[in-house]
Amino acid sequence: QVQLVESGGGLVQAGGSLRLSCAASGLTVSSYNMGWFRQAPGKEREFVAGIVRRAISWSGRNTYYADSVKGRFTISRANAENSVYLQMNSLKPEETAVYYCAAYGSSGAPWEVTNGVDYWGKGTLVTVSS
């Protein structure tokens, strides 16, 4: 069975950093578009970052970010560990949320569309204090 297990969440002060990990089993992360979403209290689940599966990265652009996090967050993949990571810097209190790892299907849907995701992790809580 497919499992995506997030770790690395916790409490951090505003301006601080955290590194989230997503360990996959039952699928190979290099064969899927992978991403991170977050859901804050009272808000819809939103796209944060994505990384293109290796076989079809024709554009030469391998990573994509929500405008709100571009320049501060970095998504990466370690194929040998079958894991995806999200480095988050300069965190803001409004970014307190549950962060979810996602594996996309092959429909080619936009990154932001949650219906394009085939598999979800259960999430890890990030709390940014003021």
Side-chain angles (χ1 to χ4, degrees), residues 28-35 47 49-65 75-77 79 84 102 104 109 111:
T28 300
V29 299
S30 64
S31 298
Y32 286 77
N33 289 351
M34 302 293 297
F47 170 76
I51 186 165
V52 175
R53 63 186 189 269
R54 188 174 182 178
I56 60 167
S57 297
W58 303 116
S59 69
R61 182 178 179 183
N62 297 321
T63 59
Y64 295 82
Y65 299 93
I75 188 171
S76 62
R77 179 179 61 218
N79 294 336
V84 178
Y104 290 78
W111 293 103

Side-chain angles (χ1 to χ4, degrees), residues 8-26:
L11 176 64
V12 64
Q13 291 186 339
S17 299
L18 282 176
R19 181 175 181 261
L20 305 182
S21 299
C22 173
S25 60

Side-chain angles (χ1 to χ4, degrees), residues 1-127:
Q1 296 294 319
V2 171
Q3 280 193 301
L4 303 175
V5 180
E6 302 96 334
S7 61
L11 176 64
V12 64
Q13 291 186 339
S17 299
L18 282 176
R19 181 175 181 261
L20 305 182
S21 299
C22 173
S25 60
L27 63 79
T28 300
V29 299
S30 64
S31 298
Y32 286 77
N33 289 351
M34 302 293 297
W36 290 91
F37 288 73
R38 66 189 178 193
Q39 189 163 19
K43 294 187 176 181
E44 299 293 321
R45 190 170 298 189
E46 66 174 351
F47 170 76
V48 176
I51 186 165
V52 175
R53 63 186 189 269
R54 188 174 182 178
I56 60 167
S57 297
W58 303 116
S59 69
R61 182 178 179 183
N62 297 321
T63 59
Y64 295 82
Y65 299 93
D67 288 343
S68 61
V69 308
K70 191 173 184 179
R72 298 186 296 116
F73 289 14
T74 303
I75 188 171
S76 62
R77 179 179 61 218
N79 294 336
E81 289 73 38
N82 205 33
S83 296
V84 178
Y85 305 95
L86 184 68
Q87 178 67 45
M88 305 186 294
N89 297 329
S90 301
L91 282 160
K92 305 173 181 179
E94 58 265 35
E95 293 175 316
T96 293
V98 177
Y99 284 70
Y100 297 91
C101 183
Y104 290 78
S106 59
S107 68
W111 293 103
E112 298 85 355
V113 177
T114 57
N115 285 348
V117 175
D118 274 0
Y119 303 104
W120 295 96
K122 292 185 177 180
T124 186
L125 177 63
V126 172
T127 302

